[in-house]
Amino acid sequence: MAVARSSRSAAATPRTGAEIRAAFLSFYEERGHKVMASASLIPEDPTVLLTIAGMLPFKPVFLGQQKRPAPRATSSQKCIRTNDIENVGRTARHHTFFEMLGNFSFGDYFKQQAIEWAWELSTDVFGIDPKHLVVSVFREDDEAEQMWRDVVGVNPKRIIRMDEADNFWASGPTGPCGPCSEIYYDFKPELGDEGIDLEDDDRFIEFYNLVFMQYNRDAEGTLTPLANRNIDTGLGLERMAQILQKVPNNYETDLIFPLIQAAADLAGIDYHQLDDAKQTSLKVIGDHSRAVTQLICDGVTASNLGRGYILRRLLRRVVRHGRLLGIHKPFLVTMGQASIALLQDAHPSVLERQEVILAELQREESRFLETLERGEKLLADVLESKPKQISGSQAFELYDTFGFPLELTQEIAEEQGLDVDLAGFEQAMEQQRQRAKAAAVSIDLTLQDAIDQVAADLNATTFEGYELSMSSSSTVQALLVNGEAAASASDGDAVQVLLDCTSFYGEGGGQVGDRGLLVGDGPDGNGLIVVIEGVSRNRGVFVHSGTVQRGRLGVGDVVHGQVDRACRRRAQANHTATHLLQAALKQIVDAGIGQAGSLVNFERLRFDFHCPRAVKPAELEQIEALINGWIAEAHGLVVEEMEIDEAKAAGAVAMFGEKYSDVVRVVDVPGVSMELCGGTHVCNTAEIGLFKIVSESGVAAGIRRIEAVAGASVLPYLNERDAVVKHLGERFKAQPAEIVDRVTGLQDELKATGKALAAAQAELAVAKSAALASKAVAVGDFQLLVECLDGVDGAGLQGAAQSLADQLGDGAAVVIGGLPDPADQGKVILVAAFGKEVIAANLQAGKFIGGIAKRCGGGGGGRPNLAQAGGRDGAALADALEAAQTELAETLRSV
């Protein structure tokens, strides 16, 4: 029996992007779904850089690793994908940023209900005529086909069976999986129902995907029915907007086109009058502007690694396409403002983070423009030579020296009908990696995989360490010895111990894991001691890493945990001090400051925060005084759990981009600070004792860092500084208050002596060079002099060369090379000084001496009349000077 379609007036049909989003969420909320806020674009899942799908935040729930938030849920999830970035703007519906509307069932309703609701939403709420709809099912899913045909009433000819590649979803090679069914919109139903090809993108667009998660696949590929079957769906907001707004592509919907119009206004052009190439550039700007605004909002900053590189790549593509349209002034801030205005109703956080977003856009654009012109000029020079392709070394030089993304080089080359030697680029990149190998960090992925597998089978560890007692009795749930699961461990074994409950804090929220001991009798009667050096977390399971010092430890044993109290107290003091530091920064520097990361260990604390400028020394003094004042006031901390909405309403500060559960732990220093935090803290600020800032520095564009010490760590820090002051006082025969003046006086004396020495060396070099003038050789109307002069620094050689050129007249071509220290063959200096007539003969000192310096393993350049270069191979100096003599003589003779 076919599902009846209720009547709905055309006027009530959603049309705008906002209306479509609201209608979807309302539809499922009315049907018992909990509306979930969009998760951050920075996912908890360590296997992916960015949130790429609407279901990603629920992946742990589907995998059974996390409690379900509700039996049914619905969301509008922000997503970023850049795997096919080259298609953005060129196709009708490829994007980097998009919103995925989804409805989810966690072991509640299943296939038939999902199908019926999807059809009702599409035809009733969104008002789509069924003649425009086609559905696909997995080739073996007879049940889904029967439901679409007999329950919903879809024409059998418009139900298309497809293979596993299109209609079977899996989270990986093993684990939960199942068939899926998709709903397509048919733009040309008049072509009929025969021979429907859903691969025809001009005719069909898939807008709704229903995944029936009903199997578990093991390592052999065997499918076993799940005890709890789940529903995971995704409806593309931008695609539905294209359909309902009846525009030719996603870009011309109200979700993106206002940004295209803003860019067109900046360029002084009309989108609808442009050719395909220029329309594509506007589409790229519109798409990427949304993406970069949301990425920065969620805490990503531009860099050359990971998420930061994705952001930088998108930003630079916007600038590049703006220049193609004739926008040669900075415009990212303008596009950022337009994006915020467009997104703020649906995503209020972009307005809250407006200052951070615009500051990052301005900084990154300024940085890129400084290098872009040089990179484009170099690439233009390469293209002028009409190469068959851009070599890998040329592309790498653009990337490494000018910060010019490989993707931009490829785009520009493609515009000229060329490609880039990617193999050569990778070879050059690998050579650079080898040079930097000493700085590389290795990660034991094998161990992590083993921990993942063991932890996946256990319940979350109960943490009992918030109470005053820092000890607990626990049962060993699992063991890893030397990176492999084991039943027992003995003396000397490196172990990871997983307990059912623990008083050890597991690393999280910036705070390091506790240290201590696991003590037990042991099954053989010998005393057992396991030294715990750190505790981490794996999806709620605490992993205690250490060494068996004595005895034998086995799965099922009962052990008594003893946290190192001194270390815990130090960490607590530093952690509470971090909260006070953030409050002080907001009060003294900028109320909009937000946390960008932190580290709390037993020795000190580190706090990273968004700020476009350095914190002034006077401000640091104020911050220090304010925090120590709060400590002295002995504020008692209030720690309680509450609903997250209640906590936010009370003013609790959350780390932006962090994902929190419905019930959160709030750490309140009354009248001073209130934050969402799962870490351990002092009971009263007086326990901290003292707070001292160690340093303030910049760690990335727009990110500042303060390092400090608190509590028991302050005394060793002050003792160290005091010892340095005493030592300097003894050396300078001065009281502590006199040391600065004494050092300043010595620096002034040293500067004056250095200047006098440099002047004397320059005079000596000129004097030495006077005897060289007689060695000049006449080449036609020119005077050529190439000589070696050791023991003189760069300034001295420049003075000597200029003096000789002045003596020899406007036709002088002087080159002098030498070793500043004849005993050091690793430093070579070369100087060229050319007269006016030589320059007129198309010879420039800067270009010439740079080429000669390459023979000594160096380079350099300067002005046409005077230039200096350097090298690293003193043994090659004689040959380099001989080459200079030969090249200059040949060139001058030909004039």
Side-chain angles (χ1 to χ4, degrees):
M1 179 177 178
V3 174
R5 182 176 168 221
S6 62
S7 62
R8 185 183 183 93
S9 67
T13 300
R15 286 285 182 265
T16 69
E19 290 171 349
I20 295 168
R21 184 191 298 109
F24 182 95
L25 296 176
S26 176
F27 178 85
Y28 283 104
E29 185 178 24
E30 291 169 0
R31 287 153 181 79
H33 292 65
K34 181 178 181 180
V35 178
M36 305 292 292
S38 173
S40 169
L41 288 173
I42 302 176
E44 284 190 329
D45 189 337
T47 65
V48 289
L49 278 178
L50 294 165
T51 300
I52 58 173
M55 62 75 60
L56 192 66
F58 301 116
K59 184 177 175 182
V61 179
F62 288 132
L63 294 175
Q65 298 167 340
Q66 194 176 93
K67 183 181 177 181
R68 65 183 185 177
R72 304 174 179 184
T74 184
S75 68
S76 177
Q77 176 61 47
K78 301 183 297 185
C79 301
I80 288 276
R81 291 183 191 172
T82 57
N83 57 312
D84 51 2
I85 192 173
E86 66 281 353
N87 289 324
V88 171
R90 299 187 179 187
T91 71
R93 54 193 70 105
H94 272 94
H95 301 293
T96 51
F97 173 82
F98 59 96
E99 288 186 63
M100 188 61 71
L101 305 173
N103 57 286
F104 308 92
S105 167
F106 308 112
D108 188 22
Y109 65 85
F110 195 52
K111 194 175 293 186
Q112 179 168 331
Q113 191 66 79
I115 287 174
E116 289 183 10
W117 280 339
W119 189 261
E120 182 183 355
L121 177 73
S122 301
T123 58
D124 184 13
V125 177
F126 293 144
I128 300 175
D129 191 322
K131 73 178 183 181
H132 284 280
L133 298 177
V134 176
V135 297
S136 68
V137 296
F138 179 50
R139 64 170 184 258
E140 298 172 11
D141 194 352
D142 297 333
E143 183 183 30
E145 181 181 28
Q146 180 270 327
M147 289 176 182
W148 284 115
R149 184 187 64 238
D150 300 336
V151 178
V152 175
V154 176
N155 180 346
K157 292 185 177 180
R158 300 184 75 82
I159 303 173
I160 310 300
R161 291 188 182 240
M162 300 186 75
D163 290 335
E164 187 169 353
D166 296 295
N167 280 67
F168 196 93
W169 179 90
S171 62
T174 61
C177 56
C180 59
S181 184
E182 297 168 326
I183 308 179
Y184 289 75
Y185 184 83
D186 183 357
F187 290 100
K188 303 173 183 177
E190 67 276 6
L191 295 180
D193 303 331
E194 301 298 332
I196 286 178
D197 179 9
L198 294 178
E199 299 295 325
D200 183 354
D201 288 340
D202 290 332
R203 179 177 175 183
F204 300 103
I205 177 176
E206 176 238 320
F207 65 85
Y208 207 166
N209 185 16
L210 317 178
V211 177
F212 312 127
M213 204 180 300
Q214 63 190 93
Y215 299 114
N216 183 65
R217 180 156 51 193
D218 62 22
E220 284 71 44
T222 303
L223 297 178
T224 304
L226 289 171
N228 294 313
R229 301 180 299 178
N230 305 304
I231 288 294
D232 159 30
T233 79
L235 182 148
L237 175 62
E238 289 78 9
R239 296 188 177 195
M240 183 55 72
Q242 179 197 345
I243 293 168
L244 298 184
Q245 293 174 24
K246 302 186 185 303
V247 291
N249 55 69
N250 292 3
Y251 296 93
E252 296 183 33
T253 68
D254 67 335
L255 293 167
I256 303 177
F257 193 74
L259 299 178
I260 291 176
Q261 188 60 57
D265 291 343
L266 286 169
I269 53 181
D270 181 351
Y271 169 83
H272 297 289
Q273 301 300 317
L274 300 176
D275 59 24
D276 288 344
K278 286 186 169 57
Q279 283 193 350
T280 295
S281 288
L282 283 173
K283 290 174 183 176
V284 169
I285 294 172
D287 171 271
H288 289 8
S289 293
R290 291 200 314 165
V292 299
T293 298
Q294 293 282 12
L295 283 170
I296 299 170
C297 179
D298 280 6
V300 181
T301 55
S303 70
N304 285 329
L305 294 172
R307 302 181 186 102
Y309 179 69
I310 290 173
L311 173 61
R312 175 162 286 170
R313 179 184 177 188
L314 295 175
L315 285 168
R316 294 188 169 187
R317 289 187 95 230
V318 172
V319 175
R320 162 70 181 155
H321 282 277
R323 291 168 73 88
L324 289 176
L325 295 170
I327 307 174
H328 292 287
K329 62 181 180 180
F331 71 102
L332 285 186
V333 169
T334 302
M335 292 307 304
Q337 291 168 331
S339 298
I340 290 168
L342 182 65
L343 297 165
Q344 65 185 28
D345 290 340
H347 307 283
S349 56
V350 296
L351 188 59
E352 297 168 10
R353 301 265 294 170
Q354 179 173 247
E355 186 176 345
V356 171
I357 294 167
L358 299 182
E360 178 70 7
L361 292 174
Q362 185 177 37
R363 278 191 300 272
E364 186 62 16
E365 183 172 28
S366 175
R367 183 180 294 112
F368 186 41
L369 288 176
E370 290 174 1
T371 60
L372 183 59
E373 290 187 8
R374 287 181 291 162
E376 286 184 329
K377 184 178 183 304
L378 179 59
L379 186 53
D381 290 343
V382 171
L383 293 172
E384 278 183 12
S385 64
K386 306 296 183 183
K388 293 183 179 179
Q389 72 171 179
I390 306 297
S391 72
S393 61
Q394 290 168 329
F396 183 74
E397 182 183 1
L398 283 162
Y399 168 81
D400 192 47
T401 304
F402 297 97
F404 207 76
L406 173 63
E407 296 79 17
L408 285 189
T409 301
Q410 289 177 291
E411 283 187 18
I412 296 171
E414 185 179 343
E415 290 167 8
Q416 302 295 321
L418 302 174
D419 61 6
V420 177
D421 177 12
L422 296 180
F425 177 87
E426 287 300 326
Q427 183 179 1
M429 180 69 84
E430 181 59 31
Q431 289 171 351
Q432 185 195 56
R433 291 192 190 104
Q434 292 301 320
R435 289 192 292 269
K437 194 172 182 179
V441 177
S442 61
I443 301 173
D444 187 352
L445 293 177
T446 303
L447 173 59
Q448 188 57 51
D449 286 346
I451 292 174
D452 287 344
Q453 292 176 17
V454 172
D457 295 330
L458 300 179
N459 294 323
T461 308
T462 301
F463 178 57
E464 301 175 341
Y466 288 134
E467 289 74 23
L468 292 177
S469 172
M470 283 187 255
S471 61
S472 61
S473 293
S474 313
T475 302
V476 178
Q477 301 292 299
L479 278 173
L480 284 91
V481 177
N482 298 322
E484 296 184 0
S488 63
S490 54
D491 293 10
D493 283 344
V495 294
Q496 279 75 43
V497 186
L498 285 70
L499 306 172
D500 60 341
C501 61
T502 184
S503 55
F504 288 80
Y505 182 79
E507 181 175 348
Q511 181 178 335
V512 299
D514 280 328
R515 296 173 181 170
L517 301 174
L518 293 179
V519 181
D521 293 334
D524 53 6
N526 294 325
L528 165 72
I529 295 182
V530 181
V531 179
I532 299 301
E533 293 143 4
V535 183
S536 59
R537 304 186 201 188
N538 188 302
R539 300 190 185 280
V541 176
F542 285 40
V543 182
H544 306 68
S545 297
T547 305
V548 179
Q549 190 178 72
R550 186 175 73 233
R552 179 177 173 276
L553 178 68
V555 174
D557 287 353
V558 175
V559 293
H560 188 67
Q562 298 178 359
V563 175
D564 185 318
R565 294 173 181 269
C567 285
R568 168 72 77 83
R569 281 195 291 268
R570 286 171 177 254
Q572 289 180 165
N574 282 330
H575 202 154
T576 305
T578 304
H579 286 212
L580 300 182
L581 174 57
Q582 178 165 213
L585 282 164
K586 287 177 177 289
Q587 184 169 322
I588 291 172
V589 180
D590 185 347
I593 276 177
Q595 182 177 342
S598 67
L599 172 66
V600 175
N601 61 27
F602 311 122
E603 286 76 39
R604 61 178 56 201
L605 63 96
R606 186 181 75 207
F607 185 72
D608 294 346
F609 55 99
H610 296 279
C611 188
R613 62 171 178 85
V615 182
K616 300 172 184 176
E619 292 173 324
L620 292 174
E621 290 181 10
Q622 288 178 275
I623 290 168
E624 212 172 67
L626 183 58
I627 292 173
N628 282 307
W630 288 333
I631 291 170
E633 289 167 359
H635 293 272
L637 272 70
V638 178
V639 180
E640 58 182 325
E641 291 189 347
M642 60 179 71
E643 295 286 335
I644 188 164
D645 291 339
E646 180 187 355
K648 290 181 177 179
V653 175
M655 182 173 175
F656 199 84
E658 189 78 12
K659 185 176 181 181
Y660 295 96
S661 60
D662 292 339
V663 177
V664 293
R665 187 168 180 265
V666 179
V667 177
D668 184 16
V669 184
V672 176
S673 164
M674 180 186 284
E675 294 191 29
L676 307 185
C677 181
T680 62
H681 290 270
V682 299
C683 295
N684 188 293
T685 59
E687 296 174 33
I688 299 174
L690 196 62
F691 173 86
K692 181 66 182 174
I693 292 175
V694 175
S695 66
E696 191 275 350
S697 60
V699 293
I703 305 293
R704 306 299 299 180
R705 169 175 293 171
I706 286 180
E707 295 191 63
V709 288
S713 300
V714 176
L715 185 59
Y717 172 79
L718 294 179
N719 284 340
E720 180 185 343
R721 296 308 184 268
D722 186 54
V724 171
V725 171
K726 287 179 179 177
H727 181 65
L728 289 174
E730 292 170 0
R731 291 289 301 270
F732 294 129
K733 307 298 182 186
Q735 294 299 314
E738 301 170 343
I739 291 175
V740 173
D741 290 340
R742 186 65 59 86
V743 171
T744 301
L746 289 173
Q747 288 177 321
D748 291 341
E749 289 179 24
L750 185 60
K751 280 183 184 178
T753 303
K755 288 180 180 178
L757 178 59
Q761 288 178 332
E763 291 175 7
L764 178 61
V766 171
K768 284 183 177 181
S769 68
L772 298 177
S774 61
K775 296 184 178 182
V777 177
V779 181
D781 295 331
F782 303 98
Q783 293 292 317
L784 174 60
L785 177 62
V786 180
E787 286 294 334
C788 180
L789 187 60
D790 290 332
V792 181
D793 65 9
L797 275 190
Q798 283 200 36
Q802 187 65 66
S803 176
L804 285 167
D806 291 342
Q807 292 179 54
L808 297 174
D810 291 342
V814 178
V815 174
I816 301 178
L819 306 177
D821 180 0
D824 181 5
Q825 293 286 311
K827 185 174 182 180
V828 177
I829 296 177
L830 291 154
V831 174
F834 291 172
K836 294 179 181 178
E837 294 177 4
V838 176
I839 297 172
N842 205 27
L843 274 171
Q844 294 188 6
K847 290 184 178 180
F848 180 79
I849 203 65
I852 295 301
K854 290 181 179 179
R855 295 174 176 269
C856 297
R863 303 191 306 273
N865 64 314
L866 182 65
Q868 177 178 318
R872 299 183 297 274
D873 184 4
L877 177 59
D879 289 341
L881 291 175
E882 183 178 345
Q885 176 87 27
T886 302
E887 290 182 26
L888 279 173
E890 290 178 354
T891 303
L892 294 174
R893 286 194 192 99
S894 65
V895 176

